[in-house]
Amino acid sequence: MWRVIRYSIGVTFFVALFGVGIYLYGVYTEVQSEIESVKRHKMDVTTQIFDTKGRLIANLFNEHYRLYAKFEEIPPRIIEILLAVEDTLFFEHMGINPDAISRAIVKNVKNLKYSEGGSTLTQQVVKNIALSPERTLKRKIKEAMFAIILEQNMSKEDILEIYLNYIFLGHGYYGVRTAALGYFHKNLNELTLKEMCMLMGLPKAPDTYDPSKNLQHSLGRANNILDRLKDIGWITQEEYEVAIVEIPYVYNDKSLTQNVAPYAVDEVVRQLSPIYPDLKTGGYKIYLTIDLDYQNIAQEALRYGYNNINERLVEQYPRTFVREELDSEGLIYAKPKESEANKYGELNGAMVVTESQSGKILALVGGVDYKKSVFNRATQAKRQFGSSIKPFIYLVAFDRGYSPAWQVMDAPRKFGNTNENVQSNQEDEEDVWKPKNVGAYGGLITLREALRKSANLATLNLVQQVGFDIIYRGIKDFEFPYVPNDMSIVLGSLSLSPLEAAKFYSVFSNYGTMITPRLVDSIVNVQGETYTFPIATREYTQPQQAFLVTDILRDVVNRGTGVRARVANLEIAGKTGTSNQNIDGWFCGYSPSIQTIIWYGRDNNTPIGPVETGGIVAAPVNAYFFNKLLKIEPGLKRRFDVPNGIMKKTFADGEYLYTNISKLPPTTPSVTNVEEDLLF
């Protein structure tokens, strides 16, 4: 009988052992199939955006703010502290620590609850990356087996690298490098022993030991770690005494994104997201053409102009507007009174600064206050260009043989219907376009004077002389977006964004070659591979021809509509622009090396104010910007280069430049009959 019992027990034991073996083999097979998930695990890494001088502009991430550190970038002292706290025998065990597990089992049985896990760092990596957080026997067995197999497939250094980059260290920081920069504003190799202990004390309870919230708890935890290091002989008494009394300064940054140029960053995301789907998680380093010094001045200048407009409206039209402080940053708002609320919308502006010869965008500001409106007016707003289009019309004329000395009539006239009864037929009269000048009419004037004064009628007559079809094809050739096929284009009825305006005006600032503005200079992936974005250019005219326009635009700033843009001891060329009813105000200008595009308007396309032209609202911002810029860039190029082939001839009313292409009129040219109508 006893034999039968012993036999039954033996069979049962064998069956049980066989079943356990089958079970463990099943777990082993499952682990083998999943081991690659840890080896190839790709954690979300924050993308960083830098300016042209390597200064941080913004951090881009979805959920986890993590800056990755390779093992060789992590100081050995941090490794020692981590092992002293979490897994002293890490470099000796095979993935699990039987002694630690035994101690944990005894403690858990004694306390009749789960109070200690006994997990190694390898097991913690497995648990965080590959397993669910459930506390079951199968998961613990799988975790142990996973850890053993993982150590056969990965080096100890690789496992530590994963752990130190994966762990959450409070305050939204993931990874040791992120926490070092966040809490202490230091790189890993700059940390003190005490700061390292504070960081390595965080994994146990990140919120409790967050030094930005609970400094004393954090210091106490760090001091305990120092005691541990001293007891096991991993630091000297002298090191201990220095560290134990240290109280590091802890930063409590409010914004993890640290976005100091939000409109520019938004445009970067818009441009690169279709190319890099993992833009915010791929750990890229993006280097922009933005210069934060220029960016800060541009932001300040745009707000300066905004306040000027509002102060002027309140002062000149007290029955329409009342003064209102917008925020602590000093913005002022001319708030329309209730009876005028429908006539005036929300005023805003935009500014784009580029380097003329390279197309680099040095500053991009899409509004006066990003916190109130994220709409990027520098890139997304399509606004009527007004008289800012005129230099392109004159360039087309110059390229077809006209010169700045050519004369044209500046006098009232009408365009449209050619019926004989146009003066008596009211219905036909409504179809007649009667454009006017902003200022007085000049009679017979040169093209130089016509552009300097931004004379509408003189420009319209020039178009008729050259031929509307020729001018229209010339404007189309610049590749302006949607060009109306009628005479309204002469006064800037086409619409474009300030960034597009920067592209087109480079024809003048870059001596005849249009250059597409670039915001992103290069991007570096986590493997260290660099992609540099190409420069796109197209030559439209000879440098001499472009300079003919620049010379006149210098005069626009010196004594024309752009006089408020003038800067002492610096040559500025530029053109103002105002759309119908003063809805848009532009200044498009450039020094010998820097180009500025400035725009103001109301978001709902209502007038800025009764007499707010581009020369009044936008031109002063140019002067403010360059005066500030010269203080930090005193070596800025001051004078325009004059291309070879530029000639000069003296007339009774002054000297005029011309080239071999353009021609000087030997006599006064015939002038189109000012009473003649022009069909659209």
Side-chain angles (χ1 to χ4, degrees):
M1 181 177 179
W2 288 109
R3 289 182 179 178
V4 174
I5 293 173
R6 286 198 300 270
Y7 178 77
S8 298
I9 292 173
V11 171
T12 302
F13 178 77
F14 178 79
V15 171
L17 187 62
F18 182 77
V20 170
I22 294 294
Y23 174 79
L24 292 177
Y25 180 77
V27 173
Y28 173 80
T29 304
E30 190 176 331
V31 168
Q32 283 284 18
S33 66
E34 296 176 3
I35 197 72
E36 291 297 321
S37 67
V38 177
K39 291 175 61 178
R40 298 180 181 179
H41 177 73
K42 184 180 179 182
M43 60 187 79
D44 290 353
V45 179
T46 297
T47 288
Q48 293 188 289
I49 299 178
F50 302 92
D51 83 338
T52 189
K53 296 175 180 174
R55 293 171 292 190
L56 181 64
I57 293 177
N59 296 309
L60 297 180
F61 58 94
N62 284 334
E63 296 179 6
H64 297 158
Y65 176 36
R66 176 185 289 113
L67 304 175
Y68 201 87
K70 295 186 179 298
F71 182 80
E72 55 269 22
E73 297 174 313
I74 301 171
R77 180 68 84 182
I78 287 182
I79 304 295
E80 292 174 356
I81 297 170
L82 171 64
L83 299 188
V85 174
E86 296 286 344
D87 190 354
T88 309
L89 299 176
F90 175 75
F91 281 101
E92 279 100 46
H93 63 61
M94 59 180 180
I96 62 173
N97 186 340
D99 290 340
I101 293 173
S102 299
R103 287 195 304 270
I105 291 173
V106 171
K107 189 172 183 179
N108 292 338
V109 170
K110 184 178 179 180
N111 295 331
L112 298 178
K113 64 178 182 179
Y114 184 90
S115 59
E116 187 171 318
S119 296
T120 64
L121 287 175
T122 308
Q123 286 176 275
Q124 292 183 47
V125 167
V126 169
K127 178 174 61 178
N128 290 331
I129 294 177
L131 302 179
S132 65
E134 61 181 348
R135 294 181 177 182
T136 63
L137 178 61
K138 179 182 179 181
R139 195 197 66 79
K140 292 301 293 183
I141 294 173
K142 190 174 181 181
E143 177 187 302
M145 192 175 294
F146 217 132
I148 294 170
I149 297 174
L150 183 63
E151 291 227 359
Q152 296 172 355
N153 286 268
M154 294 183 70
S155 69
K156 294 280 190 179
E157 290 77 10
D158 288 341
I159 293 170
L160 284 172
E161 181 177 317
I162 292 175
Y163 179 85
L164 285 168
N165 282 288
Y166 190 88
I167 52 173
F168 176 61
L169 296 173
H171 212 77
Y173 302 143
Y174 288 83
V176 65
R177 183 184 174 202
T178 318
L181 288 169
Y183 288 128
F184 305 118
H185 286 196
K186 291 182 178 181
N187 293 314
L188 290 172
N189 60 356
E190 299 171 326
L191 294 172
T192 66
L193 175 60
K194 186 63 164 285
E195 290 166 343
M196 292 179 186
C197 289
M198 292 170 72
L199 292 182
M200 291 301 95
L202 284 164
K204 182 178 181 180
D207 291 330
T208 301
Y209 298 121
D210 182 339
S212 66
K213 300 175 182 176
N214 305 304
L215 180 59
Q216 292 308 313
H217 286 77
S218 179
L219 291 172
R221 170 73 169 154
N223 289 340
N224 290 336
I225 294 173
L226 287 169
D227 290 337
R228 165 74 172 159
L229 291 169
K230 182 171 72 73
D231 291 342
I232 62 178
W234 287 8
I235 60 172
T236 66
Q237 181 67 29
E238 183 180 355
E239 289 174 319
Y240 174 82
E241 291 175 356
V242 171
I244 201 74
V245 296
E246 181 187 352
I247 302 178
Y249 183 83
V250 178
Y251 292 85
N252 186 12
D253 291 338
K254 296 180 180 179
S255 174
L256 296 176
T257 57
Q258 192 177 331
N259 193 339
V260 295
Y263 289 110
V265 170
D266 284 356
E267 181 61 15
V268 170
V269 173
R270 188 191 69 80
Q271 289 183 15
L272 295 184
S273 289
I275 307 171
Y276 301 94
D278 62 340
L279 184 67
K280 294 184 179 182
T281 60
Y284 299 100
K285 294 185 185 299
I286 301 172
Y287 294 90
L288 304 187
T289 59
I290 292 287
D291 185 316
L292 283 179
D293 297 324
Y294 285 70
Q295 180 75 16
N296 292 335
I297 295 174
Q299 289 176 171
E300 184 182 327
L302 194 69
R303 291 178 177 179
Y304 162 80
Y306 179 86
N307 282 350
N308 273 358
I309 297 169
N310 285 297
E311 289 277 27
R312 186 167 51 251
L313 291 175
V314 170
E315 181 180 334
Q316 295 182 358
Y317 307 100
R319 295 183 179 181
T320 304
F321 299 98
V322 293
R323 193 178 192 273
E324 182 179 284
E325 298 284 344
L326 281 185
D327 55 28
S328 59
E329 296 181 352
L331 288 176
I332 299 163
Y333 179 47
K335 183 179 180 180
K337 292 185 177 179
E338 194 170 331
S339 60
E340 304 288 332
N342 293 331
K343 296 181 181 179
Y344 299 97
E346 190 73 26
L347 178 67
N348 224 301
M351 186 171 181
V352 179
V353 181
T354 56
E355 189 175 68
S356 301
Q357 278 71 56
S358 69
K360 292 180 178 180
I361 300 175
L362 302 174
L364 188 148
V365 188
V368 296
D369 191 345
Y370 185 82
K371 290 177 293 193
K372 292 185 179 298
S373 173
V374 301
F375 179 65
N376 195 336
R377 295 156 191 84
T379 61
Q380 295 174 289
K382 303 287 187 178
R383 306 296 295 230
Q384 284 198 357
F385 208 27
S387 291
S388 299
I389 192 67
K390 288 177 181 174
F392 298 91
I393 293 169
Y394 283 75
L395 179 60
V396 173
F398 294 158
D399 280 346
R400 280 151 183 80
Y402 289 78
S403 84
W406 187 270
Q407 292 180 308
V408 67
M409 182 60 70
D410 181 38
R413 61 173 299 183
K414 58 185 181 293
F415 298 86
N417 202 312
T418 55
N419 288 342
E420 294 181 2
N421 299 325
V422 71
Q423 297 295 331
S424 58
N425 189 315
Q426 181 63 33
E427 184 176 347
D428 288 339
E429 185 71 15
E430 292 176 356
D431 295 332
V432 174
W433 182 37
K434 296 181 179 179
K436 299 178 181 179
N437 283 354
V438 175
Y441 297 97
L444 193 61
I445 60 175
T446 63
L447 297 188
R448 180 184 184 88
E449 186 177 2
L451 183 53
R452 177 176 68 82
K453 291 181 175 180
S454 196
N456 290 338
L457 271 300
T459 305
L460 289 164
N461 282 325
L462 170 66
V463 170
Q464 189 177 15
Q465 285 188 28
V466 176
F468 175 77
D469 288 343
I470 292 175
I471 295 294
Y472 179 74
R473 287 196 302 271
I475 296 298
K476 288 277 287 185
D477 189 50
F478 287 112
E479 298 182 357
F480 279 100
Y482 182 69
V483 182
N485 190 11
D486 58 54
M487 287 289 282
S488 69
I489 63 169
V490 179
L491 305 185
S493 61
L494 57 82
S495 298
L496 66 164
S497 70
L499 183 58
E500 289 171 326
K503 171 185 174 181
F504 295 120
Y505 258 80
S506 67
V507 167
F508 307 118
S509 64
N510 196 32
Y511 289 84
T513 299
M514 184 182 293
I515 185 165
T516 301
R518 294 184 300 131
L519 183 58
V520 182
D521 186 61
S522 63
I523 183 167
V524 183
N525 63 20
V526 291
Q527 286 79 36
E529 300 167 332
T530 300
Y531 176 77
T532 301
F533 287 77
I535 300 173
T537 63
R538 179 183 169 188
E539 184 177 327
Y540 277 86
T541 189
Q542 296 179 5
Q544 297 85 350
Q545 295 297 101
F547 186 76
L548 291 181
V549 178
T550 292
D551 182 55
I552 300 173
L553 296 186
R554 281 190 300 192
D555 218 19
V556 170
V557 173
N558 288 334
R559 58 194 185 100
T561 60
V563 69
R564 292 176 178 84
R566 192 167 50 190
V567 178
N569 300 316
L570 177 68
E571 287 190 339
I572 298 287
K575 183 69 184 75
T576 58
T578 310
S579 64
N580 284 339
Q581 301 176 31
N582 303 321
I583 289 174
D584 301 282
W586 296 82
F587 180 76
C588 304
Y590 49 99
S591 75
S593 60
I594 304 296
Q595 178 180 277
T596 60
I597 305 294
I598 301 152
W599 167 86
Y600 285 100
R602 298 189 184 273
D603 288 337
N604 66 346
N605 285 289
T606 51
I608 300 173
V611 293
E612 301 297 303
T613 65
I616 294 174
V617 302
V621 175
N622 181 83
Y624 185 96
F625 173 82
F626 275 107
N627 281 320
K628 287 278 186 177
L629 183 61
L630 287 171
K631 292 179 181 179
I632 65 170
E633 297 272 18
L636 206 66
K637 189 173 182 179
R638 305 288 181 119
R639 298 287 180 265
F640 287 103
D641 293 329
V642 180
N644 293 330
I646 290 291
M647 292 165 278
K648 190 181 294 186
K649 187 168 184 177
T650 303
F651 283 80
D653 58 345
E655 291 184 329
Y656 292 87
L657 301 182
Y658 69 102
T659 69
N660 288 330
I661 294 177
S662 61
K663 59 185 179 183
L664 287 168
T667 58
T668 300
S670 59
V671 180
T672 304
N673 186 340
V674 297
E675 292 299 325
E676 181 182 344
D677 296 320
L678 181 64
L679 284 172
F680 280 43

